[in-house]
């Protein structure tokens, strides 16, 4: 919790200054690495900017799982990938900015922690990303909150009485017509 609070403070402070998002994350990493040196602590981050004016996404991956991107017009699911190690590991790491152009109405972005797809049921099976892909496709006409609730309900039903071992964080974003 302390590491997260520190990173959040660094992010808030640095993000209001000029520079690209890759520079922002590189600067945060440098500060965080100096704070956690020799502790073995690190954290992952997926930093995403939605540029409404130019209808594009910009993101930096810092050791975090890729976001899921769904385009209902093509029925295509892809991942917003990119290289970048976790924050706090190497203060000299330089992060890269990734861009996706041509955002359009109805497209869906899902960000989550691996505790969602790595959750297990009584048989020891993992929930997996394919379950999430199926839900996104089947519920694409719904709003973001309904898609999120469907994923959580499906995960809860899947795991049964098995305790989740990792954190479960999920964000669903849907591009709307007024975008």
């Amino acid at each position: 919790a302390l590491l997260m609070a520190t990173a959040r403070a660094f992010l808030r402070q640095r993000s209001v200054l000029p520079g690209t998002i890759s520079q922002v994350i590189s600067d945060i990493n440098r500060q965080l690495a100096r704070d956690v040196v020799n502790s073995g602590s690190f954290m992952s981050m997926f930093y995403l900017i939605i540029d409404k004016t130019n209808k594009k996404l910009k993101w930096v991956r810092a050791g975090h799982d890729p976001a899921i991107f769904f385009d209902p017009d093509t029925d295509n699911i892809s991942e917003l990938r990119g290289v970048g190690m976790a924050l706090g590991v190497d203060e000299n790491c330089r992060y890269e900015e990734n861009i996706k152009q041509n955002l359009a109405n109805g497209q869906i972005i899902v960000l989550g922690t691996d505790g969602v797809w790595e959750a297990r049921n009584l048989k020891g099976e993992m929930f997996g990303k394919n379950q999430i892909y199926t839900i996104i496709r089947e519920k694409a006409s719904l709003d973001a909150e309904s898609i999120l609730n469907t994923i959580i309900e499906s995960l809860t039903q899947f795991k049964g009485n098995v305790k989740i071992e990792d954190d479960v964080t999920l964000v669903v974003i849907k591009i709307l017509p007024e975008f």
Side-chain angles (χ1 to χ4, degrees):
L2 186 57
L3 183 60
M4 176 57 94
T6 301
R8 182 174 183 246
F10 288 154
L11 179 62
R12 288 182 139 201
Q13 180 184 34
R14 177 56 183 90
S15 64
V16 297
L17 300 173
T20 66
I21 62 172
S22 58
Q23 290 169 328
V24 168
I25 299 305
S26 294
D27 290 347
I28 292 167
N29 174 64
R30 186 173 37 264
Q31 292 297 328
L32 197 62
R34 290 174 183 165
D35 276 4
V36 300
V37 68
N38 299 323
S39 73
S41 295
F42 63 90
M43 67 176 288
S44 68
M45 179 184 287
F46 192 98
Y47 189 67
L48 175 70
I49 301 286
I50 300 174
D51 182 344
K52 291 170 50 172
T53 304
N54 297 303
K55 297 188 184 268
K56 65 182 174 181
L57 298 176
K58 294 190 271 186
W59 72 92
V60 172
R61 274 190 63 220
H64 201 280
D65 273 38
I68 299 166
F69 184 86
F70 177 64
D71 186 342
D73 289 340
T74 61
D75 193 43
N76 184 47
I77 290 183
S78 59
E79 292 188 335
L80 302 179
R81 297 189 166 274
V83 294
M85 70 174 60
L87 299 172
V89 175
D90 176 5
E91 76 174 86
N92 297 311
C93 182
R94 296 292 171 254
Y95 295 85
E96 71 176 37
E97 179 176 307
N98 303 278
I99 299 173
K100 183 166 192 61
Q101 306 278 355
N102 304 317
L103 285 183
N105 181 39
Q107 292 173 332
I108 298 166
I109 304 154
V110 178
L111 301 135
T113 56
D114 58 5
V116 177
W117 36 89
E118 292 178 1
R120 296 190 180 270
N121 64 11
L122 289 169
K123 296 178 187 174
E125 301 164 326
M126 284 199 303
F127 186 65
K129 285 189 178 179
N130 285 333
Q131 296 270 23
I132 296 168
Y133 299 161
T134 299
I135 292 167
I136 293 168
R137 277 194 169 103
E138 289 176 356
K139 305 297 181 181
S141 64
L142 301 178
D143 61 44
E145 184 177 1
S146 297
I147 296 167
L148 180 126
N149 289 337
T150 302
I151 294 170
I152 296 299
E153 289 166 10
S154 181
L155 175 62
T156 301
Q157 186 175 23
F158 173 83
K159 72 171 192 65
N161 292 326
V162 175
K163 183 179 181 244
I164 292 182
E165 298 295 323
D166 202 352
D167 66 301
V168 171
T169 303
L170 195 62
V171 175
V172 177
I173 303 163
K174 186 167 185 178
I175 306 300
L176 298 175
E178 60 270 9
F179 177 74

